[in-house]
Amino acid sequence: MILFIILVFFIFIILLPIPIKVIAHYSNENYYLKLYRINLYSKTDGIIRKILNRKSNSSNKKKKEGKNNNPKTENKEKKKKSFSIKKTYTLLQTNKFKPSIKFSLLGSYSFDDAAFTATLYGLLSNLNFILLKIFSDFFKVKKFNYSLNPNFKNELNINLTINCIITFNIAQIIYILFLMRKKGGVPIVLGQSYGK
């Protein structure tokens, strides 16, 4: 009986959906990247900014101390990191157990030249279908909103906001990693199809 309860609990944990919410915003006045409500990167603060500042400070100290990297070890690391992008793409594209995604990109823009703004609108309109195709290859697209509107103000003004919720479970991760190990590739979790 205890083993049955443990097994049910284990299956529940593996199949439990885990949503990851990412919000990105860019405007002339401000920009930020957030995971849930955690500030990852912004104009003045953020976890990533602090880490990058620490790394830059430590690298500067190493340069002052005269420590040089061994080129042979760097070449070995590059060889280890090399992988087939095409193989990985195909693997993730044909994956049957894809994570789901809800994606929204809303914003407006204008440039100094109204003609350029109008031309860019035509190009960005096609980006709608390209993004949807890419997401459909890797995710089960539950929701997809895309709206970029031009403002003919004859001045540089960009305002973009991206809301993205990726939902997956541990079983999907294990399955993808298993495929990566079996067929060769890199453990990147992405996912397919769309609908509401």
Side-chain angles (χ1 to χ4, degrees), residues 102-153:
K102 293 179 180 180
F103 180 84
S104 173
L105 191 158
L106 305 174
S108 60
Y109 64 93
S110 67
F111 294 94
D112 297 333
D113 185 3
F116 178 73
T117 302
T119 304
L120 192 62
Y121 176 70
L123 296 173
L124 292 176
S125 297
N126 293 325
L127 187 62
N128 181 2
F129 304 103
I130 296 171
L131 280 176
L132 182 57
K133 174 63 173 70
I134 293 171
F135 286 146
S136 298
D137 284 342
F138 298 125
F139 297 94
K140 292 178 181 176
V141 182
K142 299 291 185 181
K143 182 179 179 182
F144 184 86
N145 288 334
Y146 178 95
S147 178
L148 285 177
N149 300 314
N151 290 325
F152 299 98
K153 296 181 178 179

Short mmCIF file of all heavy atoms in Angstrom, two decimals, residues 102-153:
data_model
loop_
_atom_site.label_atom_id
_atom_site.label_comp_id
_atom_site.label_asym_id
_atom_site.label_seq_id
_atom_site.Cartn_x
_atom_site.Cartn_y
_atom_site.Cartn_z
N LYS A 102 2.23 29.91 -24.50
CA LYS A 102 1.32 31.03 -24.73
C LYS A 102 2.21 32.25 -24.97
O LYS A 102 2.98 32.62 -24.10
CB LYS A 102 0.39 31.25 -23.55
CG LYS A 102 -0.60 30.11 -23.32
CD LYS A 102 -1.48 30.39 -22.11
CE LYS A 102 -2.46 29.25 -21.89
NZ LYS A 102 -3.34 29.49 -20.71
N PHE A 103 2.07 32.85 -26.14
CA PHE A 103 2.98 33.92 -26.53
C PHE A 103 2.21 35.15 -26.96
O PHE A 103 1.22 35.06 -27.69
CB PHE A 103 3.88 33.44 -27.68
CG PHE A 103 4.86 34.49 -28.15
CD1 PHE A 103 6.07 34.67 -27.50
CD2 PHE A 103 4.56 35.28 -29.25
CE1 PHE A 103 6.97 35.63 -27.95
CE2 PHE A 103 5.45 36.23 -29.70
CZ PHE A 103 6.66 36.40 -29.04
N SER A 104 2.68 36.29 -26.50
CA SER A 104 2.04 37.56 -26.88
C SER A 104 3.12 38.62 -27.11
O SER A 104 3.97 38.84 -26.24
CB SER A 104 1.09 38.01 -25.76
OG SER A 104 0.59 39.30 -26.03
N LEU A 105 3.09 39.23 -28.27
CA LEU A 105 3.99 40.33 -28.59
C LEU A 105 3.14 41.51 -29.04
O LEU A 105 2.50 41.46 -30.08
CB LEU A 105 4.99 39.94 -29.68
CG LEU A 105 6.16 40.90 -29.93
CD1 LEU A 105 7.31 40.17 -30.61
CD2 LEU A 105 5.76 42.10 -30.78
N LEU A 106 3.13 42.54 -28.24
CA LEU A 106 2.33 43.74 -28.53
C LEU A 106 3.22 44.96 -28.49
O LEU A 106 4.13 45.04 -27.66
CB LEU A 106 1.20 43.89 -27.49
CG LEU A 106 0.26 42.69 -27.33
CD1 LEU A 106 -0.69 42.93 -26.17
CD2 LEU A 106 -0.51 42.42 -28.61
N GLY A 107 2.97 45.89 -29.37
CA GLY A 107 3.79 47.10 -29.34
C GLY A 107 3.49 48.05 -30.48
O GLY A 107 2.63 47.81 -31.33
N SER A 108 4.24 49.12 -30.47
CA SER A 108 4.14 50.14 -31.51
C SER A 108 5.53 50.71 -31.78
O SER A 108 6.42 50.58 -30.94
CB SER A 108 3.17 51.25 -31.09
OG SER A 108 3.64 51.87 -29.90
N TYR A 109 5.68 51.34 -32.93
CA TYR A 109 6.99 51.89 -33.29
C TYR A 109 6.82 53.02 -34.31
O TYR A 109 5.82 53.10 -35.03
CB TYR A 109 7.89 50.79 -33.88
CG TYR A 109 7.37 50.24 -35.17
CD1 TYR A 109 7.77 50.76 -36.40
CD2 TYR A 109 6.44 49.20 -35.17
CE1 TYR A 109 7.27 50.26 -37.58
CE2 TYR A 109 5.94 48.69 -36.36
CZ TYR A 109 6.36 49.22 -37.56
OH TYR A 109 5.86 48.74 -38.74
N SER A 110 7.81 53.86 -34.33
CA SER A 110 7.89 54.90 -35.36
C SER A 110 9.35 55.31 -35.52
O SER A 110 10.15 55.15 -34.59
CB SER A 110 7.04 56.12 -34.98
OG SER A 110 7.57 56.77 -33.84
N PHE A 111 9.69 55.81 -36.71
CA PHE A 111 11.05 56.25 -37.00
C PHE A 111 11.02 57.67 -37.55
O PHE A 111 9.95 58.22 -37.83
CB PHE A 111 11.72 55.29 -37.99
CG PHE A 111 11.95 53.92 -37.43
CD1 PHE A 111 11.01 52.92 -37.65
CD2 PHE A 111 13.07 53.64 -36.67
CE1 PHE A 111 11.20 51.65 -37.13
CE2 PHE A 111 13.26 52.37 -36.15
CZ PHE A 111 12.33 51.37 -36.37
N ASP A 112 12.20 58.22 -37.70
CA ASP A 112 12.29 59.60 -38.21
C ASP A 112 11.70 59.74 -39.61
O ASP A 112 11.17 60.78 -39.96
CB ASP A 112 13.76 60.05 -38.22
CG ASP A 112 14.36 60.08 -36.83
OD1 ASP A 112 13.59 60.27 -35.87
OD2 ASP A 112 15.59 59.92 -36.70
N ASP A 113 11.81 58.65 -40.39
CA ASP A 113 11.31 58.66 -41.77
C ASP A 113 10.00 57.87 -41.83
O ASP A 113 9.97 56.67 -41.55
CB ASP A 113 12.36 58.03 -42.69
CG ASP A 113 11.97 58.12 -44.16
OD1 ASP A 113 10.91 58.70 -44.44
OD2 ASP A 113 12.72 57.60 -45.00
N ALA A 114 8.92 58.51 -42.19
CA ALA A 114 7.60 57.86 -42.26
C ALA A 114 7.58 56.77 -43.33
O ALA A 114 6.92 55.75 -43.17
CB ALA A 114 6.52 58.89 -42.54
N ALA A 115 8.32 56.98 -44.42
CA ALA A 115 8.37 55.98 -45.49
C ALA A 115 9.03 54.69 -45.00
O ALA A 115 8.59 53.58 -45.32
CB ALA A 115 9.12 56.54 -46.69
N PHE A 116 10.09 54.85 -44.22
CA PHE A 116 10.78 53.68 -43.67
C PHE A 116 9.88 52.94 -42.68
O PHE A 116 9.86 51.71 -42.64
CB PHE A 116 12.08 54.11 -42.98
CG PHE A 116 12.83 52.98 -42.35
CD1 PHE A 116 13.51 52.05 -43.13
CD2 PHE A 116 12.86 52.84 -40.97
CE1 PHE A 116 14.19 51.00 -42.54
CE2 PHE A 116 13.54 51.80 -40.39
CZ PHE A 116 14.22 50.87 -41.17
N THR A 117 9.12 53.69 -41.89
CA THR A 117 8.17 53.10 -40.95
C THR A 117 7.13 52.26 -41.68
O THR A 117 6.81 51.14 -41.26
CB THR A 117 7.46 54.19 -40.12
OG1 THR A 117 8.44 54.98 -39.43
CG2 THR A 117 6.51 53.58 -39.11
N ALA A 118 6.62 52.77 -42.78
CA ALA A 118 5.62 52.05 -43.57
C ALA A 118 6.21 50.80 -44.21
O ALA A 118 5.58 49.74 -44.23
CB ALA A 118 5.05 52.97 -44.64
N THR A 119 7.44 50.91 -44.73
CA THR A 119 8.11 49.75 -45.34
C THR A 119 8.36 48.67 -44.32
O THR A 119 8.15 47.47 -44.57
CB THR A 119 9.45 50.19 -45.99
OG1 THR A 119 9.21 51.23 -46.92
CG2 THR A 119 10.12 49.01 -46.68
N LEU A 120 8.81 49.08 -43.15
CA LEU A 120 9.10 48.12 -42.08
C LEU A 120 7.83 47.42 -41.62
O LEU A 120 7.87 46.25 -41.23
CB LEU A 120 9.76 48.84 -40.91
CG LEU A 120 10.38 47.95 -39.82
CD1 LEU A 120 11.50 47.10 -40.39
CD2 LEU A 120 10.90 48.79 -38.67
N TYR A 121 6.71 48.08 -41.67
CA TYR A 121 5.45 47.48 -41.27
C TYR A 121 5.13 46.26 -42.14
O TYR A 121 4.66 45.22 -41.65
CB TYR A 121 4.31 48.50 -41.36
CG TYR A 121 2.95 47.90 -41.05
CD1 TYR A 121 2.62 47.51 -39.76
CD2 TYR A 121 2.02 47.73 -42.08
CE1 TYR A 121 1.37 46.97 -39.48
CE2 TYR A 121 0.77 47.17 -41.80
CZ TYR A 121 0.46 46.79 -40.51
OH TYR A 121 -0.76 46.23 -40.23
N GLY A 122 5.41 46.39 -43.44
CA GLY A 122 5.19 45.26 -44.34
C GLY A 122 6.07 44.07 -44.00
O GLY A 122 5.62 42.92 -44.03
N LEU A 123 7.33 44.34 -43.65
CA LEU A 123 8.25 43.26 -43.29
C LEU A 123 7.87 42.62 -41.96
O LEU A 123 7.89 41.39 -41.81
CB LEU A 123 9.68 43.81 -43.21
CG LEU A 123 10.28 44.35 -44.50
CD1 LEU A 123 11.63 45.01 -44.25
CD2 LEU A 123 10.43 43.22 -45.53
N LEU A 124 7.51 43.43 -40.98
CA LEU A 124 7.16 42.92 -39.66
C LEU A 124 5.84 42.15 -39.68
O LEU A 124 5.63 41.26 -38.85
CB LEU A 124 7.07 44.08 -38.66
CG LEU A 124 8.40 44.77 -38.32
CD1 LEU A 124 8.16 45.96 -37.39
CD2 LEU A 124 9.38 43.80 -37.69
N SER A 125 4.96 42.47 -40.61
CA SER A 125 3.71 41.72 -40.73
C SER A 125 3.97 40.27 -41.12
O SER A 125 3.30 39.35 -40.65
CB SER A 125 2.81 42.38 -41.79
OG SER A 125 2.45 43.68 -41.38
N ASN A 126 4.99 40.05 -41.96
CA ASN A 126 5.36 38.69 -42.35
C ASN A 126 6.03 37.94 -41.22
O ASN A 126 6.00 36.71 -41.18
CB ASN A 126 6.29 38.72 -43.57
CG ASN A 126 5.58 39.24 -44.81
OD1 ASN A 126 4.40 38.97 -45.00
ND2 ASN A 126 6.29 39.97 -45.65
N LEU A 127 6.63 38.68 -40.29
CA LEU A 127 7.28 38.06 -39.15
C LEU A 127 6.28 37.30 -38.29
O LEU A 127 6.63 36.33 -37.62
CB LEU A 127 7.99 39.13 -38.31
CG LEU A 127 8.87 38.65 -37.16
CD1 LEU A 127 10.02 37.81 -37.67
CD2 LEU A 127 9.40 39.85 -36.38
N ASN A 128 5.04 37.71 -38.33
CA ASN A 128 3.95 37.04 -37.62
C ASN A 128 3.91 35.55 -37.96
O ASN A 128 3.92 34.68 -37.08
CB ASN A 128 2.63 37.73 -37.97
CG ASN A 128 1.44 37.11 -37.26
OD1 ASN A 128 1.57 36.19 -36.47
ND2 ASN A 128 0.27 37.62 -37.56
N PHE A 129 3.89 35.24 -39.25
CA PHE A 129 3.79 33.86 -39.72
C PHE A 129 5.09 33.09 -39.47
O PHE A 129 5.06 31.88 -39.20
CB PHE A 129 3.44 33.84 -41.21
CG PHE A 129 2.18 34.59 -41.53
CD1 PHE A 129 2.23 35.86 -42.10
CD2 PHE A 129 0.94 34.05 -41.24
CE1 PHE A 129 1.07 36.55 -42.38
CE2 PHE A 129 -0.23 34.74 -41.53
CZ PHE A 129 -0.17 36.00 -42.10
N ILE A 130 6.22 33.78 -39.57
CA ILE A 130 7.51 33.12 -39.33
C ILE A 130 7.63 32.68 -37.87
O ILE A 130 8.03 31.56 -37.57
CB ILE A 130 8.68 34.06 -39.71
CG1 ILE A 130 8.65 34.36 -41.20
CG2 ILE A 130 10.01 33.46 -39.30
CD1 ILE A 130 9.62 35.45 -41.64
N LEU A 131 7.27 33.58 -36.95
CA LEU A 131 7.30 33.25 -35.53
C LEU A 131 6.36 32.10 -35.19
O LEU A 131 6.72 31.19 -34.44
CB LEU A 131 6.94 34.48 -34.69
CG LEU A 131 8.03 35.51 -34.45
CD1 LEU A 131 7.46 36.70 -33.68
CD2 LEU A 131 9.20 34.93 -33.69
N LEU A 132 5.17 32.15 -35.75
CA LEU A 132 4.19 31.09 -35.49
C LEU A 132 4.69 29.75 -36.00
O LEU A 132 4.50 28.71 -35.33
CB LEU A 132 2.85 31.44 -36.15
CG LEU A 132 1.71 30.46 -35.91
CD1 LEU A 132 1.45 30.26 -34.42
CD2 LEU A 132 0.44 30.93 -36.61
N LYS A 133 5.35 29.74 -37.16
CA LYS A 133 5.90 28.50 -37.72
C LYS A 133 7.00 27.95 -36.81
O LYS A 133 7.04 26.74 -36.53
CB LYS A 133 6.47 28.78 -39.11
CG LYS A 133 7.21 27.61 -39.75
CD LYS A 133 6.30 26.42 -39.99
CE LYS A 133 6.99 25.32 -40.79
NZ LYS A 133 8.06 24.64 -40.03
N ILE A 134 7.88 28.81 -36.34
CA ILE A 134 8.98 28.37 -35.46
C ILE A 134 8.42 27.80 -34.16
O ILE A 134 8.83 26.72 -33.71
CB ILE A 134 9.94 29.54 -35.17
CG1 ILE A 134 10.68 29.94 -36.46
CG2 ILE A 134 10.95 29.15 -34.09
CD1 ILE A 134 11.49 31.21 -36.33
N PHE A 135 7.49 28.52 -33.55
CA PHE A 135 6.88 28.04 -32.30
C PHE A 135 6.14 26.72 -32.52
O PHE A 135 6.16 25.84 -31.67
CB PHE A 135 5.93 29.09 -31.74
CG PHE A 135 6.62 30.27 -31.12
CD1 PHE A 135 6.06 31.53 -31.21
CD2 PHE A 135 7.83 30.13 -30.47
CE1 PHE A 135 6.69 32.63 -30.64
CE2 PHE A 135 8.48 31.21 -29.91
CZ PHE A 135 7.92 32.47 -29.98
N SER A 136 5.47 26.61 -33.67
CA SER A 136 4.72 25.38 -33.97
C SER A 136 5.64 24.18 -34.14
O SER A 136 5.22 23.04 -33.91
CB SER A 136 3.88 25.57 -35.24
OG SER A 136 2.94 26.61 -35.06
N ASP A 137 6.86 24.41 -34.56
CA ASP A 137 7.83 23.33 -34.70
C ASP A 137 8.28 22.79 -33.35
O ASP A 137 8.56 21.60 -33.20
CB ASP A 137 9.06 23.80 -35.49
CG ASP A 137 8.77 23.91 -36.97
OD1 ASP A 137 7.78 23.31 -37.43
OD2 ASP A 137 9.53 24.59 -37.68
N PHE A 138 8.36 23.66 -32.34
CA PHE A 138 8.94 23.29 -31.07
C PHE A 138 7.94 23.17 -29.92
O PHE A 138 8.23 22.56 -28.90
CB PHE A 138 10.02 24.29 -30.67
CG PHE A 138 11.16 24.36 -31.63
CD1 PHE A 138 11.55 25.55 -32.21
CD2 PHE A 138 11.85 23.21 -31.98
CE1 PHE A 138 12.60 25.61 -33.09
CE2 PHE A 138 12.91 23.26 -32.86
CZ PHE A 138 13.29 24.46 -33.42
N PHE A 139 6.77 23.79 -30.07
CA PHE A 139 5.81 23.85 -28.97
C PHE A 139 4.41 23.49 -29.44
O PHE A 139 4.10 23.56 -30.62
CB PHE A 139 5.75 25.26 -28.36
CG PHE A 139 7.02 25.73 -27.74
CD1 PHE A 139 7.91 26.50 -28.46
CD2 PHE A 139 7.32 25.43 -26.42
CE1 PHE A 139 9.09 26.95 -27.90
CE2 PHE A 139 8.49 25.87 -25.85
CZ PHE A 139 9.38 26.64 -26.58
N LYS A 140 3.57 23.16 -28.50
CA LYS A 140 2.13 23.14 -28.72
C LYS A 140 1.65 24.56 -28.40
O LYS A 140 1.59 24.94 -27.24
CB LYS A 140 1.45 22.13 -27.81
CG LYS A 140 1.79 20.68 -28.14
CD LYS A 140 1.11 19.74 -27.16
CE LYS A 140 1.49 18.31 -27.49
NZ LYS A 140 0.92 17.37 -26.49
N VAL A 141 1.34 25.31 -29.42
CA VAL A 141 1.01 26.72 -29.23
C VAL A 141 -0.45 26.84 -28.79
O VAL A 141 -1.37 26.64 -29.57
CB VAL A 141 1.25 27.54 -30.52
CG1 VAL A 141 0.94 29.00 -30.27
CG2 VAL A 141 2.69 27.36 -30.98
N LYS A 142 -0.65 27.19 -27.53
CA LYS A 142 -1.99 27.34 -26.98
C LYS A 142 -2.57 28.71 -27.28
O LYS A 142 -3.77 28.87 -27.43
CB LYS A 142 -1.95 27.13 -25.45
CG LYS A 142 -1.47 25.75 -25.02
CD LYS A 142 -2.48 24.69 -25.38
CE LYS A 142 -2.07 23.34 -24.84
NZ LYS A 142 -3.04 22.29 -25.19
N LYS A 143 -1.71 29.70 -27.36
CA LYS A 143 -2.16 31.06 -27.61
C LYS A 143 -1.04 31.83 -28.32
O LYS A 143 0.12 31.71 -27.94
CB LYS A 143 -2.54 31.74 -26.30
CG LYS A 143 -3.08 33.16 -26.45
CD LYS A 143 -3.43 33.72 -25.07
CE LYS A 143 -3.95 35.14 -25.18
NZ LYS A 143 -4.25 35.72 -23.85
N PHE A 144 -1.42 32.61 -29.33
CA PHE A 144 -0.42 33.39 -30.07
C PHE A 144 -1.02 34.73 -30.47
O PHE A 144 -1.93 34.80 -31.29
CB PHE A 144 0.04 32.62 -31.32
CG PHE A 144 1.13 33.32 -32.08
CD1 PHE A 144 2.46 33.14 -31.73
CD2 PHE A 144 0.83 34.16 -33.14
CE1 PHE A 144 3.47 33.79 -32.43
CE2 PHE A 144 1.83 34.81 -33.85
CZ PHE A 144 3.15 34.62 -33.49
N ASN A 145 -0.52 35.78 -29.84
CA ASN A 145 -0.95 37.15 -30.17
C ASN A 145 0.25 37.94 -30.70
O ASN A 145 1.31 37.94 -30.06
CB ASN A 145 -1.52 37.87 -28.94
CG ASN A 145 -2.88 37.33 -28.55
OD1 ASN A 145 -3.61 36.80 -29.39
ND2 ASN A 145 -3.23 37.42 -27.29
N TYR A 146 0.05 38.59 -31.81
CA TYR A 146 1.14 39.37 -32.42
C TYR A 146 0.54 40.64 -33.00
O TYR A 146 -0.30 40.58 -33.90
CB TYR A 146 1.83 38.55 -33.50
CG TYR A 146 2.95 39.27 -34.22
CD1 TYR A 146 4.27 39.13 -33.81
CD2 TYR A 146 2.68 40.07 -35.33
CE1 TYR A 146 5.29 39.77 -34.49
CE2 TYR A 146 3.69 40.73 -36.00
CZ TYR A 146 5.00 40.57 -35.57
OH TYR A 146 6.00 41.22 -36.23
N SER A 147 0.96 41.77 -32.47
CA SER A 147 0.43 43.04 -32.96
C SER A 147 1.49 44.13 -32.83
O SER A 147 1.84 44.53 -31.73
CB SER A 147 -0.83 43.43 -32.18
OG SER A 147 -1.33 44.67 -32.61
N LEU A 148 2.01 44.56 -33.98
CA LEU A 148 2.96 45.66 -34.03
C LEU A 148 2.38 46.75 -34.93
O LEU A 148 2.22 46.55 -36.12
CB LEU A 148 4.32 45.20 -34.56
CG LEU A 148 5.19 44.37 -33.61
CD1 LEU A 148 6.46 43.93 -34.32
CD2 LEU A 148 5.54 45.16 -32.37
N ASN A 149 2.07 47.87 -34.34
CA ASN A 149 1.41 48.94 -35.09
C ASN A 149 2.34 50.13 -35.30
O ASN A 149 3.00 50.58 -34.36
CB ASN A 149 0.16 49.40 -34.33
CG ASN A 149 -0.83 48.28 -34.15
OD1 ASN A 149 -1.13 47.55 -35.08
ND2 ASN A 149 -1.35 48.13 -32.93
N PRO A 150 2.39 50.65 -36.52
CA PRO A 150 3.24 51.82 -36.79
C PRO A 150 2.58 53.12 -36.34
O PRO A 150 1.36 53.28 -36.44
CB PRO A 150 3.39 51.80 -38.32
CG PRO A 150 2.14 51.12 -38.80
CD PRO A 150 1.74 50.13 -37.74
N ASN A 151 3.39 54.01 -35.81
CA ASN A 151 2.95 55.36 -35.48
C ASN A 151 3.75 56.34 -36.34
O ASN A 151 4.98 56.38 -36.24
CB ASN A 151 3.17 55.68 -33.99
CG ASN A 151 2.24 54.89 -33.11
OD1 ASN A 151 1.11 54.63 -33.47
ND2 ASN A 151 2.73 54.49 -31.94
N PHE A 152 3.09 57.07 -37.17
CA PHE A 152 3.79 57.97 -38.08
C PHE A 152 3.99 59.34 -37.41
O PHE A 152 3.35 60.33 -37.74
CB PHE A 152 3.00 58.10 -39.39
CG PHE A 152 2.85 56.79 -40.11
CD1 PHE A 152 1.68 56.05 -39.98
CD2 PHE A 152 3.87 56.29 -40.89
CE1 PHE A 152 1.53 54.84 -40.63
CE2 PHE A 152 3.74 55.08 -41.56
CZ PHE A 152 2.57 54.35 -41.41
N LYS A 153 4.92 59.35 -36.45
CA LYS A 153 5.20 60.58 -35.70
C LYS A 153 6.46 61.29 -36.17
O LYS A 153 6.82 62.34 -35.64
CB LYS A 153 5.34 60.24 -34.21
CG LYS A 153 4.07 59.70 -33.57
CD LYS A 153 4.31 59.41 -32.09
CE LYS A 153 3.04 58.91 -31.42
NZ LYS A 153 3.25 58.61 -29.98
#
